[in-house]
Amino acid sequence: MTEVSMSLTGHLKELRTRLLIILLSFFLAFFVGLFVSKPLILFLQKDDLPKEVILHVFKVTDAFQIYIEMAFVIGLVLVFPVILYQLWAFVKPGLHASEQRITLRYIPITFLLFLFGVVFSYLITFPFILKFMFQFAAELGVETTIGLATYFQFLLQIVLSFGVLFELPMVIMLLTRLSLITPNGMRHSRKYAYFCLLIIAAFIAPPEILSHLMITIPLIGLYEISIVVSGLTVRRMDKEMNNV
């Protein structure tokens, strides 16, 4: 067996080990989610909804479906740091010692950014959209009837999307370190980036302008923060080069 094939075999075994760790971790996290899901669903109903609004079940399986979906999401969130660490551990042998230290620091920051996106959307974006929709329905003189599955799927769509999108600064930092983008390039591409963000927001937001803006504005803010992050990364890279 050649050295190349042995190396390839070793990489495949390593990848299998990392995937097994992630899979087992997810099953454990999902098991935890099964216990947390019910109280979380009850809390979210009391915390988000006006007192006069009652969620309804329109299909026999709706309640159980949301219970499992919530447990699944809880499992994914809990296992997210494990996924990041296993990814880092897989690529670690190909990194220099300094790169290993730097990229290892990205893991908690990445997870915290995800959580921050979830919390931000839950406390600010989602309540605004919900309040606007209820008020609009009241002004039309109609009674709002909400299905349990529809409500929680919409909630998860908003908060998880924001959690992922709040990773943008970390992605930009990584791409800057790989010399794939520059701060000046991002500044010159603003109008195209804003257009893409508008499209992304359209997939997340309900089909009305205020909710769309409530999602687009934070995304634009994230893009501007990412430009700053890219600039800081470039300066740090220059400093590291000068110290070599």
Side-chain angles (χ1 to χ4, degrees):
M1 185 179 291
T2 65
E3 184 177 345
V4 174
S5 61
M6 288 178 64
S7 176
L8 178 60
T9 303
H11 283 307
L12 290 175
K13 288 182 178 179
E14 178 74 9
L15 179 61
R16 183 181 64 180
T17 301
R18 300 297 170 190
L19 290 175
L20 282 174
I21 292 173
I22 291 172
L23 190 61
L24 290 174
S25 300
F26 172 73
F27 279 126
L28 289 174
F30 177 72
F31 185 72
V32 172
L34 291 175
F35 288 94
V36 179
S37 181
K38 182 179 177 180
L40 181 60
I41 290 171
L42 293 173
F43 168 78
L44 292 175
Q45 289 183 73
K46 294 177 182 178
D47 190 54
D48 291 337
L49 290 169
K51 293 181 180 179
E52 66 273 12
V53 177
I54 300 174
L55 295 180
H56 298 269
V57 173
F58 297 117
K59 291 192 298 184
V60 176
T61 57
D62 276 356
F64 185 73
Q65 175 188 340
I66 291 303
Y67 169 73
I68 294 297
E69 285 182 7
M70 190 65 74
F72 184 84
V73 169
I74 292 169
L76 283 180
V77 172
L78 292 177
V79 85
F80 187 45
V82 178
I83 295 173
L84 293 174
Y85 180 80
Q86 295 304 320
L87 178 62
W88 174 83
F90 180 70
V91 301
K92 176 185 173 183
L95 302 174
H96 297 295
S98 60
E99 293 173 332
Q100 291 177 9
R101 290 193 300 271
I102 292 171
T103 51
L104 184 60
R105 294 181 202 146
Y106 288 174
I107 294 176
I109 298 173
T110 301
F111 184 58
L112 288 174
L113 281 174
F114 175 82
L115 292 181
F116 184 73
V118 169
V119 172
F120 175 87
S121 59
Y122 176 72
L123 294 179
I124 298 176
T125 308
F126 182 72
F128 175 86
I129 295 174
L130 207 62
K131 184 178 180 181
F132 175 80
M133 293 300 180
F134 285 152
Q135 287 181 345
F136 188 76
E139 290 172 4
L140 292 179
V142 296
E143 182 179 347
T144 303
T145 301
I146 306 176
L148 178 76
T150 301
Y151 173 79
F152 276 102
Q153 286 168 357
F154 179 61
L155 169 63
L156 292 176
Q157 175 186 335
I158 295 290
V159 299
L160 293 181
S161 297
F162 264 81
V164 173
L165 290 170
F166 266 60
E167 302 294 345
L168 182 61
M170 290 302 299
V171 173
I172 294 301
M173 183 186 296
L174 178 61
L175 294 178
T176 302
R177 279 199 163 270
L178 294 174
S179 301
L180 295 177
I181 60 173
T182 63
N184 288 333
M186 292 184 68
R187 293 188 189 98
H188 294 149
S189 303
R190 260 195 184 99
K191 58 183 179 181
Y192 304 110
Y194 285 4
F195 179 72
C196 291
L197 293 176
L198 283 168
I199 294 175
I200 292 172
F203 283 101
I204 302 173
E208 52 85 20
I209 189 65
L210 281 179
S211 298
H212 192 274
L213 287 175
M214 276 298 295
I215 292 176
T216 303
I217 291 172
L219 295 185
I220 291 175
L222 272 176
Y223 185 81
E224 294 301 324
I225 291 172
S226 298
I227 294 177
V228 176
V229 169
S230 181
L232 293 174
T233 303
V234 168
R235 284 198 286 272
R236 183 166 185 172
M237 290 169 62
D238 291 340
K239 187 177 180 180
E240 290 171 357
M241 290 292 293
N242 293 331
N243 291 335
V244 174

